[in-house]
Amino acid sequence: MTSFTSPTSMTLNGQDAPFVPLSSAETQSAHGFNGPCNSAAGVISDPNYTTLPSPAEDWKEPVIIGFDTEWAPHPKGGPQNIVLIYAFHIRCGNRSAAGLIDIMGGEAKHRITLGRLIGKAVIRGIKDGVIPGWPDAVTLAVHYGRGDLAALRDFAIVKRKLDAVKGVLATTTTPLELDVKSGEPMELLPTIPKGARNIKAWDRSNNPHEIKVTVRDTFLLAEAGGQSLEALGRQLGFEKLHLPEGYSYEDMARFKTERRAEFDAYALRDAEVAARYFQWFHGFCRDTLSLPRTPPTLGACAVQLAQRTIKAEGVDIHAAFGTVMVKQRRFSEADKRYSTRGQRELIYARKKVELVAADAYHGGRTETYMTGPVAAEELRDIDLQAAYPTAMSAIGVPDYEKAFDTTTPADFTASSLGFAELTFDTPEEIRFPVFGVRTERGLIFPRRGRTIATAPEIATALSLGVEVKIIHGTIVPWDTSVRPFESFVVEMLRLRRKLKDGNGQDTSESRMVKTLTNSLYGKIAQGVRPRTVFDARSGAMKSLSPSALTNPILAAYITGLPRATIAEMLNSIPRDHKVVSVSTDGFLTSADLGDISLDGPASRETAAARLRIAAALDRNVTDIRREVLEVKRRASEVVSFRNRGIATTRIVGDSKPILAKSSVKAPADEDPNAYMLGLYRTRTYRTRETRRDFMPLRAQIESNADLVTVARKPRINLDPDMKRKLVNARMMPAHLADGETEEMLATDSVPYETVEEALMTMGAFHAWRDGRQRVLKTLGDWQDWDDYRAAGLVRMRVRGGIQVTRQGSAGVLKRQFLRALARGAWGISRDGWTNGELAAWLTQAGYPTTESDVKNAGRRSAKLVEHSVAASPAALALLRVILPEFPSLDLRAVFAEEELEMVMTSLDPNAASIKAEPVQPDIPSES
């Protein structure tokens, strides 16, 4: 059972009128309705309405219904919540009304259907003069609305007509169209009259009205960094209400019972913010962007803007993207007739090239070069300004038909569109290798190896003296007399400048333009790498579809040019300056802008693109470095954890802290920088983050569940990700907020020689951390890990290697020594030593050993493996114990050949005998 509650703030002529729907003619007469608030067709469906308002030429004010549901967790838990109330806010132009639909029971049968909800909102709109009659179409505005929609009684039906986008539900293609008789989705039924493809909304007299419902989630329409409903309210100057002190989101039922007026206002405000924001976005698209329709997402909005700009440049968009339109004739089961539609297909010349280009498409470069406390007079967080839009602006019009193969490295320039499979060998003096190799653990930059790279990266590598051998390469010529994306970027920057306030500060509109500009790259790269997504309509996983602008060839260049530019800049920084980390389009360093060179080929191409943009904006550039680079924040000391993990301990001037939380969610009531620093200082292997996350969308759809939270306690991981080889471990002081200092582990890093070495080290670190249940916090941790790493790498390198126990490399050496001794191998023999004497000698030296250990070393199952001992400090310490008693031990059998020189320099040269050939054991070793 449900009842309708009208908010006291929404009255008619100052009095709360009885809820009796007026006819359209009565509404127009009473309220002077003078504009079409209706469907795109501009038709009022109410049969009593005879005098139609004249629709505008291109745009009609949409009928918007903001919708919000308040619920409480079910006391018994499970996938269903207790719905407390529904709130709606109906708007059309500058007219609005609102209402609450109270729930008189906690069971699913007491819930309302979408049709009933729409009906009640429309009736309220008619009653209060918001609209003249029943519209043919409405927009349902929700914010992260999969919780609100799931609270409807017919969610099981509605969900099959919605699209899953970024974890929420919305209509991105066709509006909600359900059979007015059965409520079933149209495609599941046989022949249905075309006019019946709408939602059945019910009026007070229980009469149905057919309405097309477009669902828009404002979460998908919010600018980057401001996607909460609270942020949208602030943007509108219409703040979301907050819960009173002492109440939480898990305690909404008590809030409703104890403070009903405030509860009602809270629910109504959420619905109103959603409606107002969509109306703002709709007006922004119409009036500021001049778009013919309001897109469902920001990415779709950016695509529409780019397509319009490209066409305005006189560029054939199909030629630029290597596509062609073909007509396809299809049979519609719903209409029982054939229809002909245009279908975009790739031309063969593009197909041949894009397979290699897709493999050359990598993400941004993210590496940590120093961990722990890092101090300098000034550390600067430097960004490559508008990295991806700038790279987009450098793109010309490709001629796919003239693509050619080449193995000549010099053919690949920073200004050319090309890709190649290649091998590379980076000189030792290059601190930051150019080429990334994609692995299951991300992009790794070793000194040598094999990869697929873009032309700008090849040009950068050649300029740095890297040896490059092209195995297979392709160049796609392009016409740069027209740069279609440059026009888009310039137009958006010009618009953003226009929309700033009188002081040159960003406004809601200018920030939105910035977000749209940055969104276009994602649509060009959409679907380039194979990825499956959940399809709410079918309830199955499917491949992510490409966008109208998806192009792997262009996407690879857009990411390749910034990577190459960043590599040049990093390698130009003088060695006496610190480089802490890099993250896609920015890096943290003690170098000033003047220390960073723009002389590399990719940097010159990037600078040229920035200068062209500046010229188009009539902006005079006096400092090219400041045109290309920007210092975002400054500090004099930071604590670096891992990729995208850093906190600031000392700030320079009025800068904000340099902070990256590495996927950790800081509590809302704590300073995030202080929280991350405290978490890093006090963490152990068992440190976990307590959080409640919404259940995944797929699980919610498949189980027909409400939006419930799931308690999680993921383990906190702030250790280095080992994408570089850590070196020079030491303890360094960090300055804390209370004026105290604390010693923390710090490291530098160098590139791995090969990607295989990187993967072995990363695998070994995971095994050490999980096996030892330790984290890297102290020198003791470092020494234990370093020994484990050395022993583990030897085991992986040597076929049939020896298992590494908690005794590490010293344990491996002890076992191998005892096994060689038992066999009379490797140049040594027992010479009268008893089991007890050997065990006592080793134990007294600090290596606990039992007689059984010595006895078991003689078993045939005990493997004796050459080169199985790592030349680690721990192993060398034990070696110094062994050699005085067994000086004939053949070290060539113990260590790998490449480690012998290092072993010898750490020992007394007269203490060991290195034989020309290893002594063969008397007893064959077992594998």
Side-chain angles (χ1 to χ4, degrees):
M1 174 180 176
T2 60
S3 65
F4 187 85
T5 305
S6 177
T8 56
S9 59
M10 293 297 174
T11 60
L12 187 61
N13 297 326
Q15 297 180 350
D16 191 15
F19 188 75
V20 179
L22 304 176
S23 70
S24 301
E26 291 172 327
T27 303
Q28 186 187 31
S29 173
H31 302 287
F33 183 85
N34 59 2
C37 284
N38 205 17
S39 67
V43 178
I44 299 293
S45 63
D46 193 295
N48 296 320
Y49 193 76
T50 56
T51 305
L52 300 179
S54 300
E57 284 292 324
D58 300 309
W59 276 85
K60 291 86 185 171
E61 290 292 339
V63 178
I64 304 169
I65 301 175
F67 169 43
D68 177 71
T69 308
E70 298 300 335
W71 65 80
H74 197 285
K76 295 183 179 179
Q80 301 299 320
N81 295 318
I82 302 295
V83 176
L84 303 174
I85 205 165
Y86 300 101
F88 64 79
H89 179 94
I90 183 167
R91 299 187 68 81
C92 189
N94 59 3
R95 299 174 295 279
S96 66
L100 296 166
I101 305 172
D102 215 338
I103 298 297
M104 296 307 177
E107 298 180 23
K109 66 181 181 180
H110 296 118
R111 297 183 177 190
I112 197 169
T113 64
L114 179 60
R116 289 288 184 186
L117 171 76
I118 299 294
K120 288 183 178 293
V122 168
I123 291 170
R124 169 58 69 180
I126 294 172
K127 172 179 177 290
D128 285 2
V130 178
I131 51 177
W134 284 85
D136 285 343
V138 300
T139 298
L140 188 69
V142 295
H143 187 81
Y144 208 81
R146 63 184 176 107
D148 306 302
L149 295 167
L152 296 169
R153 193 167 70 202
D154 54 349
F155 177 62
I157 297 174
V158 171
K159 69 183 181 182
R160 295 154 77 183
K161 293 297 292 181
L162 297 172
D163 301 292
V165 186
K166 296 184 178 179
V168 298
L169 294 170
T171 49
T172 61
T173 51
T174 56
L176 277 165
E177 297 177 338
L178 307 186
D179 173 34
V180 297
K181 292 184 178 180
S182 67
E184 285 294 306
M186 292 300 302
E187 63 266 28
L188 301 184
L189 301 174
T191 305
I192 300 294
K194 202 168 185 180
R197 298 183 173 196
N198 306 315
I199 284 284
K200 180 171 59 175
W202 301 86
D203 62 21
R204 193 67 178 265
S205 301
N206 214 33
N207 297 318
H209 299 261
E210 297 172 0
I211 300 179
K212 288 186 178 180
V213 180
T214 299
V215 179
R216 290 289 185 259
D217 197 313
T218 53
F219 177 81
L220 302 173
L221 304 175
E223 66 187 57
Q227 292 175 301
S228 68
L229 191 63
E230 183 176 4
L232 301 191
R234 283 197 304 269
Q235 177 179 325
L236 296 169
F238 192 75
E239 295 281 348
K240 170 183 166 59
L241 300 180
H242 294 92
L243 294 177
E245 187 176 353
Y247 294 91
S248 68
Y249 293 110
E250 289 75 28
D251 204 21
M252 294 298 288
R254 184 169 65 88
F255 181 33
K256 178 184 178 183
T257 301
E258 297 176 354
R259 306 175 75 159
R260 180 57 192 265
E262 292 173 82
F263 174 85
D264 289 352
Y266 180 92
L268 287 167
R269 179 62 61 92
D270 282 1
E272 185 170 359
V273 171
R276 281 177 176 267
Y277 185 82
F278 178 78
Q279 186 179 52
W280 173 87
F281 183 77
H282 171 82
F284 175 77
C285 291
R286 177 191 64 196
D287 303 328
T288 304
L289 303 181
S290 300
L291 290 177
R293 57 190 179 275
T294 305
T297 66
L298 296 186
C301 186
V303 168
Q304 288 188 32
L305 293 169
Q307 288 175 320
R308 183 181 67 189
T309 305
I310 293 171
K311 291 177 182 178
E313 286 292 307
V315 176
D316 183 338
I317 197 166
H318 291 296
F321 281 82
T323 59
V324 63
M325 290 298 293
V326 296
K327 293 182 178 180
Q328 289 191 348
R329 189 170 173 81
R330 296 179 177 178
F331 182 76
S332 171
E333 288 291 343
D335 296 334
K336 295 299 181 183
R337 65 183 180 89
Y338 285 95
S339 62
T340 302
R341 294 184 180 181
Q343 176 72 31
R344 186 176 59 253
E345 292 187 357
L346 304 183
I347 63 174
Y348 180 70
R350 172 179 156 177
K351 288 182 180 179
K352 288 195 304 181
V353 177
E354 76 169 28
L355 291 177
V356 177
D359 285 336
Y361 168 69
H362 308 302
R365 180 172 191 155
T366 58
E367 292 179 302
T368 298
Y369 304 120
M370 303 178 72
T371 69
V374 182
E377 183 177 343
E378 189 168 305
L379 293 166
R380 300 168 181 88
D381 185 12
I382 299 176
D383 262 14
L384 190 60
Q385 294 213 57
Y388 287 166
T390 300
M392 280 192 298
S393 73
I395 290 173
V397 179
D399 189 339
Y400 302 95
E401 299 288 353
K402 293 184 179 179
F404 63 91
D405 294 338
T406 178
T407 57
T408 303
D411 288 343
F412 297 85
T413 67
S415 60
S416 64
L417 188 61
F419 324 92
E421 181 183 11
L422 54 86
T423 60
F424 60 94
D425 195 339
T426 306
E428 194 70 26
E429 63 268 18
I430 300 299
R431 292 191 292 166
F432 308 100
V434 176
F435 293 115
V437 180
R438 189 167 57 241
T439 72
E440 67 272 17
R441 295 187 183 274
L443 205 58
I444 296 174
F445 291 79
R447 290 199 176 278
R448 52 190 170 86
R450 184 177 183 135
T451 191
I452 298 178
T454 61
E457 292 169 289
I458 297 171
T460 293
L462 293 174
S463 72
L464 292 173
V466 178
E467 182 182 326
V468 178
K469 181 179 180 181
I470 306 294
I471 301 171
H472 303 287
T474 301
I475 299 287
V476 183
W478 56 6
D479 178 9
T480 55
S481 64
V482 178
R483 301 179 191 267
F485 291 110
E486 182 180 286
S487 300
F488 166 78
V489 172
V490 168
E491 180 181 322
M492 298 300 281
L493 289 175
R494 186 178 290 124
L495 180 60
R496 183 186 175 195
R497 184 170 63 183
K498 176 183 176 182
L499 294 173
K500 289 184 177 182
D501 65 19
N503 298 318
Q505 298 299 310
D506 271 318
T507 62
S508 298
E509 290 81 4
S510 65
R511 286 193 300 270
M512 178 58 72
V513 171
K514 178 181 179 181
T515 299
L516 291 173
T517 307
N518 293 331
S519 297
L520 185 60
Y521 152 70
K523 303 306 287 187
I524 296 173
Q526 181 175 310
V528 169
R529 305 293 305 169
R531 179 186 167 197
T532 57
V533 294
F534 179 68
D535 178 30
R537 293 176 182 260
S538 65
M541 300 298 292
K542 68 173 185 179
S543 297
L544 177 63
S545 300
S547 77
L549 295 183
T550 292
N551 189 307
I553 301 166
L554 303 184
Y557 183 87
I558 292 169
T559 56
L561 180 62
R563 277 198 311 274
T565 302
I566 289 288
E568 291 173 2
M569 292 179 174
L570 292 176
N571 282 295
S572 75
I573 294 174
R575 288 182 175 270
D576 59 345
H577 278 292
K578 297 174 179 178
V579 182
V580 182
S581 61
V582 63
S583 182
T584 306
D585 58 354
F587 48 93
L588 182 60
T589 178
S590 63
D592 199 354
L593 295 186
D595 298 313
I596 300 170
S597 172
L598 301 182
D599 293 336
S603 298
R604 291 197 300 270
E605 186 68 19
T606 298
R610 296 294 303 172
L611 288 174
R612 285 194 301 269
I613 293 171
L617 294 172
D618 298 322
R619 184 161 46 79
N620 185 33
V621 176
T622 58
D623 187 341
I624 184 59
R625 281 188 175 82
R626 295 189 183 279
E627 181 66 23
V628 175
L629 297 170
E630 178 185 12
V631 178
K632 305 286 285 189
R633 297 183 180 183
R634 304 169 189 267
S636 59
E637 184 180 272
V638 299
V639 177
S640 175
F641 316 147
R642 54 181 287 119
N643 283 346
R644 297 191 175 95
I646 197 165
T648 300
T649 49
R650 289 192 295 185
I651 295 173
V652 171
D654 58 355
S655 173
K656 293 182 179 179
I658 300 170
L659 176 66
K661 300 194 293 291
S662 190
S663 300
V664 175
K665 289 186 177 181
D669 57 347
E670 292 197 42
D671 174 71
N673 185 73
Y675 177 79
M676 289 302 302
L677 186 60
L679 189 63
Y680 181 75
R681 292 169 52 213
T682 59
R683 78 194 192 284
T684 68
Y685 177 82
R686 294 177 177 82
T687 300
R688 293 185 176 273
E689 179 184 12
T690 301
R691 55 197 291 181
R692 296 194 68 88
D693 296 329
F694 289 128
M695 69 186 307
L697 177 60
R698 180 181 179 182
Q700 182 186 1
I701 295 293
E702 289 179 341
S703 60
N704 203 37
D706 289 341
L707 184 59
V708 297
T709 57
V710 180
R712 295 180 58 233
K713 287 191 175 183
R715 193 173 60 81
I716 296 293
N717 179 15
L718 296 179
D719 281 328
D721 56 18
M722 298 294 172
K723 292 176 76 173
R724 301 252 301 181
K725 184 177 180 179
L726 303 188
V727 296
N728 191 26
R730 71 271 185 200
M731 298 301 287
M732 295 287 291
H735 293 77
L736 306 180
D738 56 7
E740 298 294 322
T741 61
E742 180 176 316
E743 293 283 314
M744 298 183 186
L745 181 68
T747 66
D748 301 325
S749 70
V750 296
Y752 292 108
E753 289 299 315
T754 65
V755 74
E756 290 77 18
E757 181 190 7
L759 293 176
M760 285 193 296
T761 301
M762 295 166 87
F765 185 70
H766 282 286
W768 172 81
R769 189 182 58 201
D770 296 338
R772 298 282 206 273
Q773 296 195 357
R774 296 176 71 163
V775 296
L776 281 179
K777 287 181 66 175
T778 66
L779 273 180
D781 295 324
W782 168 263
Q783 291 163 356
D784 190 71
W785 148 243
D786 193 48
D787 182 72
Y788 183 94
R789 177 196 61 81
L793 290 179
V794 168
R795 187 188 180 204
M796 286 185 276
R797 184 184 65 206
V798 177
R799 185 178 180 181
I802 304 302
Q803 182 179 359
V804 182
T805 66
R806 287 187 174 273
Q807 296 176 341
S809 59
V812 174
L813 174 58
K814 186 184 78 171
R815 281 177 284 152
Q816 290 294 279
F817 162 72
L818 292 175
R819 292 170 188 179
L821 196 63
R823 290 165 168 79
W826 295 1
I828 56 177
S829 61
R830 299 280 292 256
D831 289 336
W833 285 76
T834 65
N835 291 347
E837 290 170 339
L838 285 168
W841 165 61
L842 288 170
T843 299
Q844 187 176 4
Y847 301 92
T849 307
T850 66
E851 289 190 44
S852 295
D853 292 336
V854 180
K855 179 180 178 181
N856 291 336
R859 292 184 175 181
R860 295 181 62 88
S861 59
K863 294 189 296 184
L864 180 61
V865 182
E866 290 187 354
H867 312 142
S868 59
V869 179
S872 67
L876 294 177
L878 174 57
L879 188 62
R880 293 188 183 93
V881 173
I882 293 173
L883 286 177
E885 299 295 336
F886 298 90
S888 61
L889 176 64
D890 185 0
L891 300 186
R892 290 183 181 273
V894 181
F895 301 102
E897 183 177 356
E898 59 268 24
E899 293 183 326
L900 278 176
E901 184 177 353
M902 186 273 288
V903 171
M904 292 305 300
T905 58
S906 67
L907 298 173
D908 182 344
N910 299 319
S913 171
I914 299 181
K915 312 252 182 226
E917 296 292 337
V919 177
Q920 297 301 315
D922 294 338
I923 302 175
S925 62
E926 298 294 328
S927 60

